[in-house]
Amino acid sequence: GEELYYGIFAKEWSKKKNIVLRGLKKGINYSIFDYYHDKKLAMVNGSNPVLNLDFTENLLICAKPENNN
């Protein structure tokens, strides 16, 4: 598929800091899933692929393109 997977690691991360998801296609909407905890976290657009989330130790996510038909 066209999913992209990301692993982000830090002792603590504040949602005040940006997480920039590189590699997303501009103009495409993506659902962001925490695949470790099996839950949807957010929607982002490839033109502005920025998340603001709190986490401790790790964030394991998948960006899945939305069907724009």
Side-chain angles (χ1 to χ4, degrees):
E2 295 185 29
E3 297 93 5
L4 290 166
Y5 290 84
Y6 301 86
I8 302 150
F9 303 91
K11 186 174 180 179
E12 289 183 40
W13 191 271
S14 168
K15 65 182 174 184
K16 294 177 183 175
K17 297 180 182 179
N18 288 343
I19 299 169
V20 179
L21 302 178
R22 297 181 187 265
L24 301 183
K25 293 181 183 176
K26 290 186 178 185
I28 303 293
N29 291 321
Y30 292 84
S31 294
I32 308 301
F33 292 92
D34 178 334
Y35 62 86
Y36 184 78
H37 295 103
D38 194 29
K39 67 180 183 177
K40 184 175 178 178
L41 299 177
M43 290 281 299
V44 299
N45 187 282
S47 299
N48 185 28
V50 177
L51 290 176
N52 296 97
L53 300 170
D54 289 323
F55 69 89
T56 303
E57 295 189 19
N58 63 60
L59 180 65
L60 304 173
I61 57 176
C62 174
K64 296 182 182 181
E66 291 290 306
N67 185 349
N68 293 322
N69 294 335

